[in-house]
């Protein structure tokens, strides 16, 4: 396949800045939020908006293609169940699951960053746990792959 499967993920071709803004507005509308003790509009998921730009032109009789990718990432914050008020009574099982998923993906992102730091200081050996989270798989090239 084409990589990581994420529910609700879409790829849309745009040609104007207005098209891009329209997609950002749709993403904002779909963003999941819920009230906790700490935050009235707590993000219940991460949001990744990736922009790929490609161009082609002729130079000295040869076709030159250039492409780039920019990721805009809105990370949901980690939450302690007790501080967020999820421990009181019977917590909503979906909110508890969301909290655990958010915390797990943030933990994995931290592990990836630490592994990349260690690689840059040493001979570049060792495993980077990109595959432990959808978020880090999506951002793999930007975090430590072919990014420049």
């Amino acid at each position: 396949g084409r990589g990581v499967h994420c529910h609700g993920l879409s790829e849309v071709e745009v040609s104007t800045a207005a098209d891009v803004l329209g997609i950002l507005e749709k993403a904002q509308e779909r963003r999941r939020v819920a009230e906790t003790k700490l935050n009235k509009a707590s993000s219940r998921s991460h949001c990744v908006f990736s922009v790929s730009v490609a161009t082609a032109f002729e130079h000295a009789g040869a076709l030159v293609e250039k492409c780039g990718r920019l990721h805009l990432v809105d990370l949901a914050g980690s939450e302690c169940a007790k501080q967020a008020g999820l421990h009181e009574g019977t917590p909503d099982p979906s909110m508890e699951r969301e909290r655990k998923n958010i915390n797990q993906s943030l933990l994995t992102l931290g592990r990836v960053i630490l592994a990349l730091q260690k690689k840059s200081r040493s001979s570049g050996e060792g495993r980077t746990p990109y595959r432990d989270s959808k978020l880090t798989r999506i951002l793999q090239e930007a975090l430590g792959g072919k990014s420049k």
Side-chain angles (χ1 to χ4, degrees):
R2 290 182 50 146
V4 181
H5 173 75
C6 292
H7 180 73
L9 179 73
S10 60
E11 186 173 319
V12 180
E13 191 168 316
V14 296
S15 56
T16 67
D19 292 344
V20 173
L21 290 175
I23 301 224
L24 281 171
E25 286 174 7
K26 283 182 186 175
Q28 184 66 18
E29 290 169 7
R30 290 181 58 188
R31 191 172 145 240
R32 291 185 37 90
V33 294
E35 186 172 346
T36 67
K37 257 173 99 175
L38 298 175
N39 189 346
K40 283 190 181 255
S42 176
S43 291
R44 306 312 304 157
S45 61
H46 306 308
C47 181
V48 179
F49 186 78
S50 299
V51 179
S52 298
V53 179
T55 186
F57 56 93
E58 196 168 314
H59 178 71
L63 182 64
V64 177
E65 294 179 341
K66 293 189 175 192
C67 61
R69 184 172 295 197
L70 173 68
H71 299 284
L72 304 173
V73 183
D74 177 14
L75 295 174
S78 67
E79 291 181 340
C80 169
K82 188 173 184 180
Q83 289 178 335
L86 297 176
H87 70 292
E88 297 167 356
T90 305
D92 177 354
S94 66
M95 281 188 66
E96 179 62 14
R97 187 172 43 256
E98 287 170 345
R99 183 190 68 78
K100 287 179 180 178
N101 289 340
I102 290 166
N103 288 350
Q104 182 61 46
S105 69
L106 290 172
L107 181 63
T108 301
L109 178 59
R111 286 182 181 143
V112 166
I113 292 168
L114 286 174
L116 291 170
Q117 273 183 324
K118 287 179 184 175
K119 275 187 176 184
S120 71
R121 291 183 194 149
S122 65
S123 63
E125 294 178 19
R127 179 181 176 273
T128 305
Y130 294 115
R131 293 183 181 209
D132 294 353
S133 160
K134 287 182 181 184
L135 177 67
T136 52
R137 285 283 288 134
I138 290 168
L139 300 176
Q140 181 173 350
E141 284 186 9
L143 290 169
K146 297 187 266 181
S147 62
K148 294 178 186 174

